[in-house]
Amino acid sequence: MNNSELAQILIRAVQEADSSERLVDAVQELAAASIEESVPTLIAALGYNNPGAAVAAVDGLIAIGEAAVPPLLELIDDYNYGARAWAIRALAGIGDVRALDTLLEAAKTDFSLSVRRAAARGLGTLRWHQLPSEKLESVQTQVLEALLLICQDPEWVVRYAAVTSLETLAIAIAVTLPDQASRITNQLQQMLDTDADLGVRTRVRFAQEKIQPPQHQEVFAPKKKLQDIEVPEVPYRGSGRR
């Protein structure tokens, strides 16, 4: 049986599933096969109002990778916020730079906080090596500007995702845009000082630890054991009294 025949059997199982449990099982099996032909069915599963099936579909789409990106961008559901959030999560997991515009728009303007959160997280997982070298700095600057804006989002889960992405972006721009690094560290410090949510502040501290250069530590020579110390030989003077 070739991949196409297997895909048709697994797709049919998804279409014919007559219960929530069977749907989850069928989508999981389809996702595990990682066959490109299954992408439209996996995308459709994102909108079934079945979280188990959606999680499995996202995993399958991420496993398929770059081949799933164009269909995801074309078939993304603008009216079903749940499906849109799952689709954004899949794009974020793949990290393909072709999803950049979609992620930027969703992170900054989408009505649904789950979509904004997924998109903000995705901005930190982009595969920078896919970009031509002449575009890398401008795109990274664009992502930085977006993340600094998203850090002002009223929902703490979105700000949390933005901090996560700022951490990975800070590591990425250490070579390409070192002069911009202070903007990230300043933003993190501001959030640490002012953000109302403890979870966000905790995540900020973690990010700061990850991106700060290691502090200089003085190195001390290890202490020698007494038996390892060379003692100068004392000339023998005899044991008699003078």
Side-chain angles (χ1 to χ4, degrees), residues 46-67:
L46 302 178
Y48 286 165
N49 196 26
N50 184 316
V55 169
V58 167
D59 290 342
L61 291 165
I62 292 174
I64 291 169
E66 295 180 8

Side-chain angles (χ1 to χ4, degrees), residues 5-217:
E5 292 171 338
L6 176 60
Q8 291 306 312
I9 293 174
L10 296 176
I11 289 170
R12 191 177 307 114
V14 172
Q15 296 170 341
E16 295 177 354
D18 55 4
S19 69
S20 177
E21 293 77 12
R22 289 184 179 179
L23 177 61
V24 172
D25 291 342
V27 175
Q28 287 176 341
E29 291 185 9
L30 181 62
S34 297
I35 301 173
E36 184 176 341
E37 193 173 343
S38 67
V39 168
T41 303
L42 292 174
I43 293 175
L46 302 178
Y48 286 165
N49 196 26
N50 184 316
V55 169
V58 167
D59 290 342
L61 291 165
I62 292 174
I64 291 169
E66 295 180 8
V69 173
L72 271 167
L73 294 175
E74 293 171 6
L75 300 177
I76 198 167
D77 191 339
D78 291 329
Y79 300 99
N80 184 330
Y81 287 113
R84 183 173 177 81
W86 290 115
I88 294 293
R89 190 173 300 183
L91 290 169
I94 297 170
D96 195 291
V97 295
R98 288 174 292 178
L100 174 63
D101 290 341
T102 297
L103 294 175
L104 285 171
E105 180 182 1
K108 292 188 291 186
T109 66
D110 202 279
F111 173 82
S112 169
L113 72 88
S114 60
V115 172
R116 297 200 308 278
R117 175 182 60 182
R121 182 67 186 90
L123 291 174
T125 60
L126 293 170
R127 299 180 181 180
W128 299 115
H129 68 272
Q130 294 179 332
L131 284 170
S133 58
E134 65 272 14
K135 292 185 178 181
L136 181 58
E137 292 185 11
S138 63
V139 173
Q140 287 182 333
T141 300
Q142 186 180 11
V143 171
L144 173 58
E145 297 290 351
L147 288 173
L148 294 176
L149 176 63
I150 297 163
C151 284
Q152 315 304 319
D153 195 281
E155 299 291 344
W156 75 267
V157 292
V158 181
R159 300 196 304 276
Y160 187 104
V163 170
T164 301
S165 290
L166 279 177
E167 175 194 318
T168 57
L169 182 62
I171 296 171
I173 69 172
V175 175
T176 55
L177 295 169
D179 57 323
Q180 297 291 328
S182 62
R183 299 183 67 191
I184 295 180
T185 55
N186 291 342
Q187 177 64 50
L188 292 176
Q189 187 59 48
Q190 179 185 350
M191 296 178 76
L192 182 63
D193 295 338
T194 64
D195 199 281
D197 187 84
L198 175 60
V200 173
R201 297 198 304 274
T202 301
R203 188 62 183 83
V204 166
R205 291 193 189 96
F206 182 81
Q208 289 175 324
E209 292 174 0
K210 287 291 185 179
I211 66 178
Q212 286 176 347
Q215 299 295 318
H216 174 72
Q217 295 181 350

